[in-house]
Each structure stands twice: as C-alpha cells, then as structure tokens.
C-alpha cells in the first residue's frame, strides 16, 4: 500500500520569505510524486511531478520540489513567497503497478503581507 | 481552466434520495477518476475508468456507482443519500495512457449538500 504524510496542517510565512511545505511518502518500488494546489472553491491544479532523474524538480508559478530517496521526502519549496500563493497544497504518490494517486491530507499555506 | 467539466456545480437534496454527477474529461483523455473531498476524510479516491472499463476502485461505498460512456464522459451515481455524503466531488482525467506517472487534471467539482 502507498501513503503520504503532510505533517503540518498549516504553514505561515511572510511575503518575500522562502517557504517549504513538507511531504513524506511510503510506497513499494520507485515512487512517482506530485504536488497539487487548490484555491478556494476550485479544483486541484497540477504544480509539478517527479518521475525519475534530477532530484530537484521545477514547476509552475516558481515552485520547486526536492526528492530525497533516503528520507522518503518530497518537500515543496519556493524562494520568495507571494500573498497569492496562499492556498491548500496536496502531495500525492503513485508507483508502477498503481494507476491511481494517493493524496496527503493537505497543508494550508498562509502568506502574510 | 483544466478542460475538465463537471455538472452541476451545486446540488442540494434530501436524505434517501439519488443523484447523478456528470463529468466530461479533457479532449483525448481516456482515463476518468472520481474523488470525494470532505473536511474529516480529506481527498479520497473513489473509482477510475479507462476507455469505458473500470480500472481501479478505492473507498467507494456500495451505494455509489459510476460508469463511463462511449463518448468518454462519466457519471457518478449516489443513492440512498446520507448526511455524511455531503462533500465536494471531483472528477479528474489524465493523458491517454492513464499510467502512474501521468498527472491528473481536475474539474471544478460538484458540491453536494444532503439535508
């Protein structure tokens, strides 16, 4: 079985500061990892994914994520947060043999002006 | 706009009733996924269809069923509704292969309220 943990329900950061949203995963075999963002009353939007290759993945809106196999982590990062980044962020995992995604519970990111 | 459409946007109904939620995937996508999002359960995968055939099943109740039609749109049927079924229901689609490395594109959701 595969699972995802997002240990923080909420992350608070000031605009202009770097942000990190944490994610750890458990899966059999090599993982496929994803980050999605959900704005209020909207569906989830794909941000980025890791399949293989470079451990640092760049995605939409200036976000990036670092895959760490030894720590089974895939933390989402951005060098300089914007107020408009405030939203709910979901980490998800899949693997060979699974056609579906398993999502974490989500982390609310609040960026203050 | 993801290209995935869902109707209706909002649905209010009573306990014991039956409703149908509709989803049209992005043009060319063969896989359709249904999810339920609630405050206490988070985002739960319900079921996946690929080109008309059921591909995977998640935490879907027996009172719920789905199908995917030849034109690839999908419907999620919820029956004998209970208060606890109140949630946001999302549909997602993915590129033709629908494999584990492919990102899913989500529709705007249907908010179901059971009174």
């Amino acid at each position: 079985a595969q699972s995802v943990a997002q240990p923080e329900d909420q992350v608070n950061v000031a605009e202009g500061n770097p942000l990190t949203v944490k994610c750890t995963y458990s899966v059999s075999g090599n993982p496929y990892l994803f980050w999605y963002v959900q704005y209020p009353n909207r569906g989830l939007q794909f941000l980025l994914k890791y399949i293989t290759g470079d451990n640092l993945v760049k995605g939409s809106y200036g976000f990036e994520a670092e895959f760490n196999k030894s720590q089974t982590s895939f933390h989402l990062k951005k060098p300089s947060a914007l107020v408009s980044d405030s939203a709910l962020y979901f980490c998800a995992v899949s693997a060979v043999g699974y056609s579906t995604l398993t999502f974490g519970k989500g982390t609310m990111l609040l960026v203050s002006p | 706009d993801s290209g995935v459409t869902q109707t209706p946007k909002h649905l209010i109904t009573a306990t014991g009733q039956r409703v149908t939620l509709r989803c049209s995937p992005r043009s060319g996508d063969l896989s359709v996924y249904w999810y339920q999002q609630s405050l206490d359960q988070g985002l739960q995968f319900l079921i996946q269809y690929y080109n008309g055939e059921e591909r995977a099943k998640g935490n879907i109740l027996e009172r719920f069923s789905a199908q995917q039609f030849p034109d690839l749109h999908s419907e999620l049927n919820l029956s004998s509704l209970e208060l606890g079924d109140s949630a946001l229901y999302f549909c997602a689609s993915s590129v033709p292969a629908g494999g584990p490395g492919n990102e899913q594109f989500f529709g705007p959701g249907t908010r179901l309220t059971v009174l």
Side-chain angles (χ1 to χ4, degrees):
Chain A
Q2 50 195 27
S3 64
V4 174
Q6 293 182 242
E8 303 150 319
D9 290 336
Q10 184 168 306
V11 170
N12 297 297
V13 64
E15 188 172 34
N17 283 357
L19 70 87
T20 299
V21 183
K22 295 179 181 177
C23 170
T24 58
Y25 66 89
S26 174
V27 70
S28 297
N30 293 322
Y32 300 135
L33 295 156
F34 302 79
W35 276 102
Y36 286 80
V37 60
Q38 184 180 25
Y39 297 99
N41 301 312
R42 303 282 296 275
L44 278 70
Q45 295 179 35
F46 169 74
L47 277 180
L48 50 82
K49 69 178 179 182
Y50 170 83
I51 302 300
T52 187
D54 194 348
N55 289 343
L56 186 63
V57 178
K58 294 189 183 298
S60 307
Y61 313 119
F63 283 94
E64 57 190 27
E66 187 166 13
F67 171 63
N68 187 317
K69 189 171 184 177
S70 63
Q71 296 186 5
T72 61
S73 67
F74 189 56
H75 301 331
L76 181 70
K77 301 181 180 186
K78 188 174 182 182
S80 178
L82 299 172
V83 172
S84 57
D85 292 330
S86 298
L88 185 59
Y89 290 80
F90 289 94
C91 181
V93 68
S94 188
V96 173
Y98 295 89
S99 61
T100 61
L101 292 173
T102 298
F103 285 85
K105 287 193 172 298
T107 298
M108 180 64 71
L109 173 66
L110 293 177
V111 182
S112 55
Chain B
D1 184 2
S2 67
V4 178
T5 61
Q6 290 187 248
T7 56
K9 287 190 74 172
H10 302 278
L11 201 47
I12 301 174
T13 189
T15 55
Q17 294 298 306
R18 172 189 169 94
V19 297
T20 297
L21 313 183
R22 182 189 170 103
C23 166
S24 292
R26 295 187 319 158
S27 177
D29 285 357
L30 299 179
S31 271
V32 169
Y33 309 78
W34 285 98
Y35 293 87
Q36 179 194 58
Q37 186 180 33
S38 61
L39 279 175
D40 53 344
Q41 296 289 329
L43 193 62
Q44 298 275 315
F45 165 69
L46 295 178
I47 197 164
Q48 178 201 2
Y49 277 82
Y50 175 75
N51 202 21
E53 300 287 328
E54 183 184 304
R55 171 68 68 90
K57 229 172 185 176
N59 299 319
I60 188 165
L61 300 172
E62 286 192 13
R63 300 184 284 110
F64 297 181
S65 64
Q67 53 185 325
Q68 187 179 26
F69 295 86
D71 67 352
L72 300 178
H73 91 271
S74 178
E75 293 180 356
L76 179 67
N77 300 297
L78 316 176
S79 62
S80 303
L81 285 167
E82 302 175 359
L83 296 177
D85 297 328
S86 296
L88 259 175
Y89 291 84
F90 287 108
C91 166
S93 71
S94 65
V95 296
N102 296 312
E103 59 268 32
Q104 296 175 20
F105 296 88
F106 282 74
T110 293
R111 182 171 293 280
L112 173 66
T113 303
V114 183
L115 301 175

